[in-house]
Amino acid sequence: MRRGPWLTVVCVLAVVVAGGLITNASIASRAAPVPSTCPGEPPEAPGYSGLPESQLRLVPFSPVHALLCRYNGMNGSAESPAGRLSGTARLAGAKAARLAADTNAAAQLPNLGVVNCPMDDASHLDVYYWDSTQHIRVRYWTSGCETASNGGLVRPSIARSNLVPELEQLIPGHEPGTISGSILQFGGPVAADGTQPTPRPAVGIVAIYRRSDGEQAVSGTPVREVRTAADGTFSCTVDAGKYFVVAESLDGTPIVRPQPITLEAGGSPDIILGVDVP
């Protein structure tokens, strides 16, 4: 099994103008009208509305409405395949304005150069913001580099914030869950009085791999990896779904049989990864 701490997608951020803004000069000057309901498939046209301020902020006004449309990535199912609408939500008043403000606050450019991203499954959220006179659509990629774009401005650093989990929690059925637990060593020499050794914490790496129905063996690259604390405990947040949880030594060698787990939306299972010691 091969493991890497932040694998696969490498984004090179190299186009900078006007104090660090990344723009696309060929975008359309007008956006399509705000839909009454989320489209079944994400639109290809940019969300840019032609507002001059959109060169400065992802949401260049304080909206009074927001329509959230969540689309599956490669982690879709037969019932809800990749590229199809998988959940919607609506916000109004202060809630819509707060999400826009959080988006603008999270949009801070990192240092330019090569950025290593985790696995990108192409899942994303389209959010339509509007008031009585203005509207704009912002697309948030919820995996990989977790960038956001309004069609005229790209911000590649929302992964630094808590914005993606905040967005996911607004879509019913898509709240992320938290897998927690610990790696413990069991067994070892029996004491002279016959007492069995008590379980001891073990430091290691916990890797989370996606699992398909009927899959018996771990494959691919992990969606999350976390090093345990000194007491062997760990905790990581991932989307709801089916996974293998694998405990590895610090050099990447598996030390526990992969444990299958189904994580419900908003769930927080606690598991023990036991290492048998002769």
Side-chain angles (χ1 to χ4, degrees), residues 80-184:
S80 184
R84 296 292 295 177
L85 181 69
S86 63
T88 68
R90 289 180 178 272
L91 302 177
K95 291 183 178 179
R98 169 64 186 276
L99 182 58
D102 288 351
T103 294
N104 290 329
Q108 301 298 318
L109 281 174
N111 294 328
L112 294 182
V114 176
V115 179
N116 293 319
C117 302
M119 177 68 75
D120 187 354
D121 65 14
S123 57
H124 66 274
L125 275 154
D126 281 355
V127 181
Y128 297 84
Y129 296 98
W130 73 96
D131 61 14
S132 59
T133 61
Q134 305 168 99
H135 66 274
I136 200 165
R137 174 169 56 84
V138 178
R139 177 163 292 178
Y140 304 82
W141 283 269
T142 58
S143 62
C145 275
E146 295 184 4
T147 60
S149 171
N150 64 10
L153 173 66
V154 177
R155 291 296 201 182
S157 60
I158 62 172
R160 287 181 168 185
S161 70
N162 198 44
L163 185 59
V164 165
E166 178 182 342
L167 283 164
E168 294 280 24
Q169 290 170 17
L170 297 172
I171 303 293
H174 286 281
E175 300 91 339
T178 301
I179 302 174
S180 302
S182 57
I183 302 178
L184 295 178

Side-chain angles (χ1 to χ4, degrees), residues 162-271:
N162 198 44
L163 185 59
V164 165
E166 178 182 342
L167 283 164
E168 294 280 24
Q169 290 170 17
L170 297 172
I171 303 293
H174 286 281
E175 300 91 339
T178 301
I179 302 174
S180 302
S182 57
I183 302 178
L184 295 178
Q185 291 182 338
F186 293 86
V190 177
D193 61 0
T195 303
Q196 296 288 336
T198 58
R200 289 93 58 204
V203 175
I205 301 292
V206 176
I208 312 297
Y209 292 81
R210 292 198 184 279
R211 174 174 60 90
S212 301
D213 288 335
E215 190 174 10
Q216 302 297 319
V218 173
S219 62
T221 55
V223 297
R224 289 288 187 275
E225 289 184 308
V226 60
R227 177 170 173 159
T228 67
D231 62 357
T233 59
F234 68 91
S235 179
C236 63
T237 299
V238 294
D239 290 341
K242 296 180 179 180
Y243 297 97
F244 283 116
V245 182
V246 179
E248 303 173 350
S249 63
L250 295 180
D251 65 3
T253 304
I255 56 177
V256 178
R257 182 187 300 274
Q259 182 167 326
I261 187 171
T262 298
L263 180 63
E264 302 294 339
S268 55
D270 190 84
I271 62 176

Side-chain angles (χ1 to χ4, degrees), residues 27-31 46-52 54-55 135-137 150-152:
I27 58 174
S29 61
R30 296 178 59 189
Y48 182 47
S49 64
L51 298 169
S54 67
Q55 297 300 307
H135 66 274
I136 200 165
R137 174 169 56 84
N150 64 10

